[in-house]
């Protein structure tokens, strides 16, 4: 079964870039342009991974991330934060979730796909262990 | 005491011959008697005759009490009685007695009653000189005390007069001091026994004909025994007062006669060596006191001068302080400018590092993807167009952002000089509408302008106000997909209100957060394709013109109205622009 990835990115142009990068994969990509939309999409179909931009609408990416981690239903969904901000700025988020991955813009297609695969594999092995 | 020891030695060596004792007695410098029973004199040495004037006929076998002044007699009698009760060689207490000499003078003596095997040997020591020295010492000590304690020299004069009066008789004491230039005298008549003087205190008199002149000429004390002879000018004056004789003693400071202390008496021939000697004792102290007083006066003058200078300097200092405060304020202002420049620099760095990073990253990523495709030879027209679009839009965004950041930075730096020119709003709105009409029509939007005729003119920077309207209209077109955009103007009390209303996406922010739209880089991303700088620029310009800007919206998808109001021509706030 193909994995579902939720991409929360407010910028249309960048969403287009994601489309190009995921074009040759069999991931099921769903998009949200702000935190509101992201919540709706979360409820509709539970994604296996969330790629999150830090600069969002009123609710910024880090706030949204904290909300996810506090909500038991979503707390275990792995998150990749993709932002032009340095990962140092959001070090405190890693304290809450040590498995959090930062992708600092600009990143290559290879780097993105590798990070996504690693994250999903990690999650799969963990599920096996528990299951 | 040495005498007693010698006497004992003589006695113990069994020299019993009276002649030898007589010789020994004669060899001492003091009068010594030998009493053989009771108070009766058996013998005495020749010093008794020399000092007291009595010879053997006068005193041998007489009571020794005969030569003692009456008031001392009981004490002496008792002491002799006690001495007889003592063993030979015992020490009896020494006491003072007054001896009456043969010629009737009183002589103060110290008396030792020595008990010997031969009886009692009263031993007198002349204490007159001793007492005199004590008295003088006391006088000088008192005067010194007065000098040390009195700040006013006249108090010193008065106290000296009192002290001197204890020792000698006089009716008038004055101090005469040589004035600078040495041809005049200042007199301080300290004390008279008769309560007035022809030469009042502080008076200035010619040196010529004064007793001071005589003292200066001779360099020694000067005595006038009878003023009625009127040899001196001052003699005449003092004679009128009743002063009959005078003495003047020089006050010498550093070898120079600075004045005299003068005594006067209502009796002729009152003054002699006795008085001169006493004056000699006190003159040095008095001189020092006078010099001290002069110094003190000088110090007081200096003090006053100093106070004056200090006051003057304080005034100058205050003025300097005010000047300094002004300079400080200028400095503070300069600092403020520097700080604002610094802040501007910081903002630019922040904006560049955070806001410009994203589009650059997007371009970089698009270019990398494109390059990969080219390498793999998988290029398609469709994808190429996609990359080109991403790259172009991001470059445009970058250009716009950089321009905006620079513009805002300049406006915010406080260095920007707004022009102050009359603005006709209609003209200005039409110009902006012409520029953006094509863009609006391209999106199928209707652009309406509702500017009434005869709008009041206002003063401001035409170019900057144009930017405000352009920015707001451009935003409205960008965020409106269908419908219309209306630009209108309305004359309110004191203000001209301009509105740009659209039927676009509206504002998805609570109304109490609307003001945040005008803050730099406010992240209302759904409204902006770039950084939130356009509205910040609008606010900066409107603020600088003394106006205000605000947004109105009923929510998402319900359209937006941006309005700004500018004060009319001649309003006080408007004057600030320029």
């Amino acid at each position: 079964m193909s994995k579902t990835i939720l991409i929360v990115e407010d910028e249309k142009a960048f969403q287009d870039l994601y489309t190009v990068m995921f074009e040759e994969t069999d991931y099921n990509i769903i998009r949200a342009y702000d935190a509101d939309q992201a919540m709706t999409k979360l409820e509709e179909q539970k994604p296996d991974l969330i790629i999150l931009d830090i600069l969002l609408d009123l609710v910024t990416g880090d706030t949204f991330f904290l909300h996810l981690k506090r909500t038991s239903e979503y707390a275990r969904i792995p998150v990749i934060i993709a932002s032009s901000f340095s990962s140092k700025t959001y070090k405190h988020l890693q304290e809450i979730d040590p498995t959090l991955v930062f992708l600092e813009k600009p990143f290559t297609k290879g780097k993105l796909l590798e990070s996504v695969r690693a994250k999903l594999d990690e999650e799969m092995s963990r599920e096996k262990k528990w299951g | 005491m040495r005498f007693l020891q010698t006497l004992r030695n003589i006695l113990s060596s069994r020299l019993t011959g009276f002649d030898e004792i007589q010789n020994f007695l004669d060899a001492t410098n003091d009068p010594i008697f030998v009493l053989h029973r009771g108070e009766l004199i058996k013998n005495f040495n020749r010093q008794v005759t020399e000092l007291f004037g009595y010879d053997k006929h006068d005193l041998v076998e007489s009571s020794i009490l005969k030569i003692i002044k009456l008031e001392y007699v009981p004490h002496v009698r008792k002491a002799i009685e006690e001495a007889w009760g003592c063993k030979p060689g015992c020490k009896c207490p020494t006491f003072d007695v007054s001896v009456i000499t043969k010629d009737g003078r009183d002589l103060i003596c110290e008396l030792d009653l020595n008990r010997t095997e031969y009886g009692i040997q009263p031993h007198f020591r002349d204490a007159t000189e001793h007492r005199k020295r004590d008295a003088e010492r006391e006088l000088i000590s008192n005067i010194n005390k007065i000098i040390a304690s009195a700040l006013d020299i006249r108090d010193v004069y008065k106290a000296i007069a009192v002290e001197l009066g204890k020792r000698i008789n006089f009716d008038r004491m004055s101090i005469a001091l040589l004035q600078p230039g040495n041809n005049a005298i200042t007199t301080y008549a300290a004390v008279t026994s008769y309560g007035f003087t022809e030469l009042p205190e502080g008076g200035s008199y010619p040196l010529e004909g004064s007793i001071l002149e005589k003292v200066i000429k001779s360099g020694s004390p000067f005595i006038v025994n009878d003023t009625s002879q009127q040899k001196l000018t001052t003699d005449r004056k003092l004679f009128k007062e009743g002063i009959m004789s005078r003495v003047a003693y020089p006050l010498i400071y550093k070898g120079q006669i600075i004045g005299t202390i003068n005594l006067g008496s209502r009796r002729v021939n009152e003054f002699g060596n006795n008085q001169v000697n006493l004056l000699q004792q006190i003159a040095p102290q008095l001189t020092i006191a006078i010099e001290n007083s002069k110094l003190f006066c000088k110090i007081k003058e200096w003090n006053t001068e100093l106070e004056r200078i200090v006051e003057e300097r304080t005034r100058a200092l205050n003025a300097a302080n005010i000047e300094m405060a002004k300079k400080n304020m200028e400095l503070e202002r300069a600092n403020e400018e520097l700080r604002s420049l610094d802040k501007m620099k910081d903002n630019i760095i922040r904006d560049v590092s955070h806001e410009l990073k994203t589009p650059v990253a997007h371009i970089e990523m698009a270019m990398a993807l494109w390059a990969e495709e080219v390498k793999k030879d998988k290029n398609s027209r469709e994808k190429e167009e996609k990359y080109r679009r991403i790259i172009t839009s991001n470059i445009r965004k970058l250009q716009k952002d950089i321009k905006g950041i620079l513009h805002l930075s300049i406006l915010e730096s406080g260095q920007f000089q707004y022009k102050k020119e009359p603005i006709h709003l209609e003209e200005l709105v039409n110009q902006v509408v012409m520029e953006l009409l094509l863009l609006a029509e391209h999106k199928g939007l209707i652009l309406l302008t509702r500017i009434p005729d005869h709008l009041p003119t206002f003063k401001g920077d035409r170019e900057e106000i144009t930017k405000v309207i352009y920015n707001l209209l451009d935003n409205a077109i960008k965020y409106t997909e269908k419908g219309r955009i209306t630009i209108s103007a309305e004359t309110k009390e004191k203000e001209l209100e301009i509105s740009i209303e659209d039927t676009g996406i509206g504002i998805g922010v609570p109304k109490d957060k609307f003001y945040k739209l005008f803050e730099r880089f406010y992240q209302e991303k759904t409204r902006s394709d770039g950084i939130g700088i356009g509205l910040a620029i609008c606010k900066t310009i409107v603020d600088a013109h003394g106006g205000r800007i605000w947004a109105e919206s009923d929510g998402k998808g319900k359209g937006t109205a941006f309005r700004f109001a500018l004060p009319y021509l001649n309003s006080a706030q408007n004057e600030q622009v320029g």
Side-chain angles (χ1 to χ4, degrees):
Chain A
M1 198 186 101
S2 70
K3 299 283 182 187
T4 304
I5 301 171
L6 173 62
I7 300 174
V8 190
E9 165 67 60
D10 62 328
E11 228 169 286
K12 175 91 170 52
F14 207 78
Q15 287 281 14
D16 288 349
L17 272 182
Y18 278 120
T19 309
V20 172
M21 289 193 270
F22 283 115
E23 191 174 54
E24 284 159 2
T25 65
D26 65 343
Y27 296 125
N28 174 30
I29 306 294
I30 49 175
R31 295 183 180 83
Y33 290 88
D34 57 41
D36 257 16
Q37 278 180 21
M39 285 315 291
T40 316
K41 297 277 159 112
L42 268 176
E43 283 160 21
E44 281 169 14
Q45 42 191 138
K46 201 178 164 186
D48 299 290
L49 179 74
I50 297 169
I51 298 175
L52 184 62
D53 183 24
I54 283 290
L55 293 180
L56 291 176
D57 196 354
L58 276 187
V59 179
T60 57
D62 52 336
T63 314
F64 180 69
F65 172 80
L66 292 175
H67 175 71
L68 281 180
K69 292 295 149 189
R70 260 190 241 119
T71 314
S72 57
E73 285 175 77
Y74 312 124
R76 289 187 60 193
I77 304 174
V79 177
I80 293 174
I81 286 182
S83 164
S84 55
F85 280 99
S86 152
S87 61
K88 280 181 215 154
T89 323
Y90 291 98
K91 240 192 164 92
H92 62 285
L93 298 181
Q94 214 146 26
E95 282 166 24
I96 291 156
D97 180 6
T99 68
L100 176 66
V101 171
F102 281 103
L103 262 185
E104 200 175 323
K105 289 179 186 174
F107 48 80
T108 60
K109 181 180 165 185
K111 173 100 177 157
L112 172 73
L113 296 182
E114 191 194 308
S115 303
V116 168
R117 199 179 307 120
K119 204 72 205 156
L120 288 172
D121 285 353
E122 190 185 295
E123 201 54 32
M124 208 131 68
S125 67
R126 199 188 343 204
E127 265 169 27
K128 268 182 195 159
K129 217 190 275 175
W130 288 92
Chain B
M1 285 304 108
R2 267 175 67 190
F3 155 74
L4 278 177
Q5 195 57 47
T6 321
L7 187 61
R8 270 189 211 110
N9 290 345
I10 293 164
L11 295 174
S12 61
S13 62
R14 296 172 191 273
L15 287 172
T16 54
F18 188 78
D19 284 345
E20 281 177 56
I21 294 171
Q22 181 66 50
N23 287 344
F24 170 74
L25 291 176
D26 286 347
T28 67
N29 294 322
D30 297 322
I32 299 175
F33 292 83
V34 178
L35 308 182
H36 58 102
R37 65 190 151 83
E39 298 141 4
L40 290 182
I41 296 165
K42 183 182 181 190
N43 200 1
F44 52 86
N45 64 2
R46 61 184 167 83
Q47 278 72 25
V48 172
T49 315
E50 274 175 23
L51 195 62
F52 300 153
Y54 301 104
D55 56 28
K56 303 272 175 188
H57 303 292
D58 298 321
L59 294 178
V60 171
E61 294 302 325
S62 303
S63 167
I64 193 164
L65 297 177
K66 189 174 160 185
I67 66 161
I68 302 297
K69 202 171 176 185
L70 193 61
E71 58 200 271
Y72 292 92
V73 166
H75 188 88
V76 175
R77 177 179 285 147
K78 194 169 170 241
I80 290 170
E81 210 177 294
E82 280 170 6
W84 278 117
C86 293
K87 283 179 183 166
C90 88
K91 177 82 182 82
C92 302
T94 305
F95 54 93
D96 285 356
V97 292
S98 188
V99 175
I100 301 161
T101 61
K102 192 169 176 180
D103 58 10
R105 286 178 297 119
D106 284 356
L107 213 55
I108 300 286
C109 291
E110 264 178 18
L111 175 59
D112 272 332
L113 293 173
N114 298 306
R115 175 75 173 99
T116 71
E117 287 175 49
Y118 294 95
I120 290 168
Q121 287 166 358
H123 180 168
F124 291 86
R125 277 186 209 88
D126 183 3
T128 316
E129 284 304 315
H130 198 69
R131 290 286 168 274
K132 213 169 107 187
R133 269 200 302 280
D134 279 354
E136 277 166 8
R137 225 171 277 144
E138 195 191 338
L139 177 72
I140 290 161
S141 152
N142 284 348
I143 286 170
N144 280 342
K145 271 183 221 156
I146 292 155
I147 287 166
S149 64
L151 283 181
D152 191 337
I153 190 69
R154 277 162 304 198
D155 292 343
V156 174
Y157 297 155
K158 277 170 193 152
I160 285 173
V162 171
E163 287 300 316
L164 278 177
K166 291 177 186 169
R167 305 273 307 142
I168 49 175
N169 294 319
F170 59 91
D171 296 299
R172 185 183 197 280
M173 189 197 96
S174 68
I175 308 289
L177 296 178
L178 210 52
Q179 286 178 2
N182 293 349
N183 49 18
I185 309 166
T186 310
T187 317
Y188 298 93
V191 164
T192 61
S193 62
Y194 40 90
F196 76 95
T197 177
E198 291 286 314
L199 304 169
E201 187 172 288
S204 186
Y205 306 97
L207 176 66
E208 204 182 337
S210 71
I211 200 165
L212 177 55
E213 189 189 34
K214 289 279 178 196
V215 169
I216 288 168
K217 274 181 183 161
S218 65
S220 50
F222 193 83
I223 295 172
V224 177
N225 281 321
D226 187 356
T227 55
S228 66
Q229 293 180 4
Q230 305 195 348
K231 283 179 182 161
L232 297 172
T233 318
T234 44
D235 283 352
R236 278 200 289 278
K237 287 185 174 160
L238 292 173
F239 178 70
K240 278 191 220 159
E241 281 183 28
I243 294 301
M244 297 305 293
S245 61
R246 306 170 66 194
V247 59
Y249 194 89
L251 302 172
I252 300 169
Y253 183 72
K254 288 183 178 171
Q256 294 289 316
I257 294 175
I258 60 157
T260 49
I261 174 167
N262 307 323
L263 299 178
S265 173
R266 310 197 95 164
R267 287 180 292 181
V268 290
N269 297 321
E270 177 65 22
F271 301 110
N273 283 342
N274 196 13
Q275 287 79 2
V276 168
N277 286 343
L278 196 62
L279 290 175
Q280 187 186 1
Q281 297 294 323
I282 65 153
Q285 273 67 33
L286 181 59
T287 310
I288 288 165
I290 290 165
E291 286 302 316
N292 281 351
S293 154
K294 279 182 190 165
L295 272 179
F296 182 70
C297 285
K298 249 184 209 154
I299 287 168
K300 252 173 39 184
E301 272 169 32
W302 289 341
N303 245 346
T304 316
E305 176 69 5
L306 211 64
E307 272 167 23
R308 197 185 57 75
I309 289 170
V310 167
E311 202 182 312
E312 214 168 71
R313 290 288 147 85
T314 308
R315 260 202 304 275
L317 207 64
N318 282 343
N321 271 344
I322 291 166
E323 188 59 30
M324 195 104 102
K326 264 192 216 156
K327 285 264 155 55
N328 261 344
M329 265 164 67
E330 277 167 26
L331 211 64
E332 189 52 44
R333 217 174 295 137
N335 254 341
E336 191 56 50
E337 269 171 30
L338 269 182
R339 270 199 291 273
S340 92
L341 281 176
D342 203 43
K343 211 172 129 198
M344 175 177 125
K345 185 201 75 189
D346 285 351
N347 286 344
I348 290 174
I349 289 169
R350 196 194 65 204
D351 301 346
V352 168
S353 63
H354 290 298
E355 304 298 329
L356 304 185
K357 225 172 154 185
T358 312
V360 169
H362 292 177
I363 292 167
E364 215 177 326
M365 288 165 77
M367 299 274 282
L369 280 172
W370 196 351
E372 215 173 287
E373 305 269 319
V374 169
K375 221 187 327 187
K376 287 179 187 165
D377 216 8
K378 283 161 70 181
N379 232 358
S380 76
R381 288 289 295 180
E382 192 198 334
K383 270 192 182 171
E384 213 167 74
E385 183 55 32
K386 203 179 255 174
Y387 294 136
R388 199 194 56 76
R389 214 175 50 234
I390 292 169
I391 292 166
T392 316
S393 80
N394 274 294
I395 285 174
R396 255 207 301 273
K397 203 169 82 183
L398 266 179
Q399 284 171 333
K400 201 183 155 211
D401 286 352
I402 290 167
K403 226 166 125 186
I405 287 167
L406 289 177
H407 188 200
L408 187 59
S409 298
I410 290 165
L411 293 185
E412 282 185 345
S413 71
Q415 310 288 309
F416 186 79
Q417 287 289 314
Y418 287 91
K419 289 193 197 99
K420 203 172 172 186
E421 48 206 343
I423 293 172
H424 299 283
L425 191 73
E426 200 180 343
E427 196 182 300
L428 204 144
V429 168
N430 284 337
Q431 184 196 324
V432 176
V433 166
M434 286 296 285
E435 277 179 53
L436 290 169
L437 194 61
L438 259 177
L439 190 64
E441 280 177 353
H442 184 71
K443 281 185 91 172
L445 300 171
I446 303 162
L447 207 53
L448 291 174
T449 55
R450 283 182 187 155
I451 311 289
D453 294 338
H454 312 300
L455 275 180
T457 349
F458 61 95
K459 267 191 179 175
D461 193 310
R462 195 198 311 259
E463 205 181 318
E464 296 304 315
I465 297 291
T466 306
K467 275 179 192 160
V468 174
I469 296 169
Y470 186 95
N471 232 315
L472 296 176
L473 193 56
D474 186 45
N475 271 355
I477 294 168
K478 201 175 290 159
Y479 299 115
T480 307
E481 294 307 317
K482 55 181 181 180
R484 64 167 179 275
I485 295 156
T486 313
I487 308 173
S488 58
E490 205 181 328
T491 313
K492 297 257 171 106
E493 197 190 342
K494 289 185 181 173
E495 280 178 335
L496 188 63
E497 193 180 291
I498 300 119
S499 306
I500 291 105
E501 291 164 89
D502 64 47
T503 55
I505 61 167
I507 305 172
V509 187
K511 284 192 174 164
D512 60 338
K513 295 272 165 60
F514 278 7
Y515 71 94
K516 278 187 168 264
L517 295 171
F518 301 96
E519 287 177 3
R520 48 193 295 132
F521 310 122
Y522 175 69
Q523 305 298 334
E524 219 270 314
K525 286 281 180 164
T526 51
R527 279 208 65 84
S528 130
D529 64 339
I531 50 173
I533 205 160
L535 290 176
I537 291 172
C538 291
K539 184 169 161 50
T540 307
I541 295 167
V542 171
D543 283 352
H545 283 76
R548 53 206 175 87
I549 186 166
W550 68 100
E552 287 171 14
S553 174
D554 288 332
K556 260 187 175 173
K558 289 180 180 169
T560 313
F562 278 98
R563 302 186 210 279
F564 66 100
L566 294 170
Y568 287 172
L569 187 65
N570 294 336
S571 92
Q573 280 178 320
N574 201 27
E575 293 300 309
Q576 285 177 2
V577 180

